[in-house]
Amino acid sequence: MIKISKANPSHVQGIAKVCSDGYRATYGESHSEEYIERIISEFYNTDRILDEVTKTSRIGEATL
């Protein structure tokens, strides 16, 4: 059985890892490592994800 639950602060590290690994896998062949790491640093950092997990309303849930 699959259980779906809203993300919480304990999930932040895992979300960051999945998003970062996925971005590297998707764009590793077509973009420079410098560009990839800059994008990951900007969008998939734990502070940003924590903010989204703890402060978004139902309207903003699809942000991540």
Side-chain angles (χ1 to χ4, degrees):
M1 174 158 55
I2 296 173
K3 179 182 176 190
I4 299 173
S5 59
K6 185 172 178 169
N8 66 56
S10 71
H11 299 124
V12 169
Q13 290 289 347
I15 293 169
K17 179 167 178 25
V18 167
C19 291
S20 298
D21 290 351
Y23 198 88
R24 286 184 188 102
T26 301
Y27 298 106
E29 299 287 324
S30 60
H31 293 70
S32 72
E33 184 176 341
E34 178 183 280
Y35 175 82
I36 291 169
E37 294 307 317
R38 182 168 46 93
I39 295 300
I40 288 171
S41 177
E42 182 177 347
F43 291 101
Y44 304 131
N45 67 75
T46 55
D47 290 335
R48 181 177 180 275
I49 295 169
L50 180 62
D51 187 58
E52 294 230 6
V53 164
T54 59
K55 296 181 182 172
T56 54
S57 67
R58 182 150 178 80
I59 294 168
E61 285 181 353
T63 306
L64 277 179

